[in-house]
Amino acid sequence: MSDTTFDYIIIGGGTAGSLLANRLSADATQRVLLIEAGRKDDYHWIHIPVGYLYCIGNPRTDWLYNTEPDAGLNGRALRYPRGKTLGGCSSINGMIYMRGQARDYDCWAQLVGDANWTWEQSLPYFQLHEDHYKGANAVHGAQGTPPALLQDNGSAYRKLLRHRKAGGEWRVEKQRLRWDVLDSFAQAAVQAGIPTTDDFNRGNNEGVGYFEVNQKAGWRWNTAKAFLRPTCYGRSNFELWTSAHVAKLTLEPNTSGANSDGTTPLRCTGAQVWDGQQMVQVTASKEVILCAGAVGSPQLLQLSGLGPAQRLQTLGIAVQKDLPGVGENLQDHLQIRAVFKVNNALTLNSQANSLWGKAKMGLEYVFKQSGPMSMAPSQLGAFTRSDPAQPHPNLEYHVQPLSLEAFGQPLHNFDAMTASVCNLNPTSRGTVHIKTPLFTDAPAIAPNYLSTEQDRKIAADSLRITRNIMAQPAMQKYQPTEYKPGTQFQTDAELAQLAGDIATTIFHPVGTTKMGREDDAMAVVDSRLKVHGVAGLRVVDAGVMPLITSGNTNSPTLMIAEKAAQWIAEDALARAANTMKG
C-alpha cells in the first residue's frame, strides 16, 4: 500500500464494484483501486451452487447482520445475509437471473425525471454484459455478439470497451436438473390460471417456469469470476485490496463549485482504510464510487457525516451535509414460506437424509456437475396477481422440493415441498442507521415488514393463491397436506398474523440511498448517481433504486453499474476536454 493515490477508488468488491472495476480499468491511463472488506473468493463453497448453505451465516463470507425486532414479524428478528467477499452477494445468493418488469424502469424514469432509466434505455445495458446460453436476440446478449450499444462509433467509451472485448461476461444458463413434483406444481399453476413462460426477462415476467441461473457448467458464476479475473488482475493500472475495511470518506471544501442552498460545497477526495494493522489514507483524483450495498453504503455515508443531521449530532458525528434520506426508504421482499407434506414424490428431504442419498448427490456433482448440489436454492418460479384487480403481476413464487423449519436448520424428516411467495411491490418502508460512530459496529436494520394494511392484505391473499394452486388436479397424486401455516387459519387477520410468524427476507434490500430529483428532499443521489451536494462521490449499488424491482435484485444492480461506468468515463472525457480548452 505504498502508492495511495488513484484516479478512481471503488469501495466494495461485490456485484456493482466488480463490474465498475472492469470497465474503468479498461482505460490503461487511469489508475483504479478496488477495496473489499472481505477476503478473496477462494472458499470452495462459494463456487459449488449448494454451497450457499455454508456461506450464509459464515463469517468467512457473510457480514452476519441481523434485523432489529420487527413488529410486523410479531417481534422476531431475522438473519440478514450480505456478502463479505469478492463478488459480494453474487458469491452467496440464489444465482437467479431476473431483471424485473419493464414498468419498474419506466417508473424510475418518471420518478427521477430522466428517460435514461426507462426499460427501453436500460435493456441494452443488461445485454452488454450478458452471455445467454441461447445466444443473442432482441432481448438477450451473448459473448462474441456485441449489442447495439457497442456498435455505435460515436462514443469513446464504447470504442474503449469494444477494443478491450468487453461484454458478455455474465453467464446465464438453464438449470441442470428438474423435479417431477415441481413439474406438477407448474401444471397446477396453469390450471389455476397462470400461463407458462420460457423467459422471465422480456419485460413482462408473468407466468410459471424454471428460473435461469448465473452458473457456468454447473458452477456458480459470481461477479469476481466474470469481471475481475483474469481481466483486471492482468492490468497494471488496477489494484485490489482485500480484508481492507473503509472507515470513513475524506471530505474537503470544494473550491470549484457552490451549492444552490447556500451551504458550503464539498468534495470527496478519498477514504480512510483500516488494513487490519493501521489506518491508511487513500486519495482519488477523479471520483470515489461507493458500492457497499444497501446496508454498507448508507452506513459509510453516515459515519462520514453525510446523513440526517439530528441523528448524526446525537452520535457526536460532525455533520458535513444534512442528507435526511440516507438510510431511509429501505425496501425488501418478504417471502412467506408455505410448506406442504407430499406423498409418492422424491424430494430433497428424503434424498439428503440418507447416507446413500448424500453419496449419490456427491458423486453426481463430482462427475457431471449436475444433480442437487448444482441447484439454486429455488428452482421453479411463478409470477402472478394477488387478486384479479391488480394491474400487473405483484407476486413471485420461489418453489423448492424441500422443507425446513427455518433457514440454516436441518431438512424435515418427511417428504415435503415449499412454495415461498413474496409481495413484489411492498409499501412498507424501513431504515438502516448507524448506532455508534465506530465503523466496526453493525448498523441497526429495521425493515418494518408488513407495516401497512395493503401489505398485510396482499400477504393474506398470497397464501390463498398458494392454497388454490396446491388444490389443483395436477398436485393431487401427491396428496398434499398443508404443514405451514395450517388450514385452521383462514381470515385476513389470521393469515397476516401467521405471515409474520413464518415469513423471512429473500435478501433483496434496496432504496437506502435512493436517486431522485433535486427537489426531492429524501433523494440521496441524482439520476446519474452523484451524491447531492458532494462532488467526486457516487453511489452505485442497489441502494439507489427508488422503488424495488419486481423480482430478484442482483441483475438490476449490474445494469445500474453498467450505466454508471459509461457516465463516469464520459464525465472524465468531458473534464479532460475542458482542461485542454483552458
Side-chain angles (χ1 to χ4, degrees), residues 508-525:
H508 297 163
V510 308
T512 50
T513 52
K514 76 165 188 173
M515 61 176 160
R517 302 170 189 261
E518 191 173 355
D519 59 0
D520 180 352
M522 299 304 289
V524 177
V525 299

Side-chain angles (χ1 to χ4, degrees), residues 332-334 394-395 421-427 454-455 458:
D332 190 14
H333 288 142
L334 183 72
N394 67 327
L395 299 179
V421 61
C422 69
N423 176 1
L424 288 170
N425 311 120
T427 54
Q454 180 178 338
D455 287 358
I458 290 175

Side-chain angles (χ1 to χ4, degrees), residues 32-92:
V32 177
L33 171 65
L34 177 63
I35 304 173
E36 168 55 40
R39 294 159 60 181
K40 286 190 175 182
D41 61 324
D42 52 7
Y43 181 50
H44 66 283
W45 282 120
I46 290 174
H47 307 290
I48 300 171
V50 80
Y52 71 92
L53 292 168
Y54 306 99
C55 291
I56 292 176
N58 182 342
R60 170 69 177 79
T61 49
D62 185 357
W63 281 95
L64 304 181
Y65 294 132
N66 290 284
T67 69
E68 300 297 293
D70 197 301
L73 302 183
N74 305 322
R76 290 188 300 132
L78 298 179
R79 180 185 288 177
Y80 214 66
R82 298 283 86 199
K84 188 181 182 182
T85 182
L86 276 184
C89 290
S90 77
S91 293
I92 69 171

Side-chain angles (χ1 to χ4, degrees), residues 284-340:
S285 62
K286 290 186 171 64
E287 288 195 30
V288 173
I289 306 147
L290 192 49
C291 304
V295 174
S297 288
Q299 177 188 20
L300 187 51
L301 289 171
Q302 292 170 32
L303 289 169
S304 307
L306 302 173
Q310 186 174 358
R311 183 178 293 274
L312 299 182
Q313 289 167 347
T314 301
L315 295 173
I317 295 175
V319 178
Q320 299 292 331
K321 182 170 179 59
D322 181 15
L323 286 171
V326 174
E328 300 292 320
N329 194 47
L330 173 63
Q331 299 157 63
D332 190 14
H333 288 142
L334 183 72
Q335 64 171 350
I336 305 171
R337 298 173 57 255
V339 175
F340 291 82

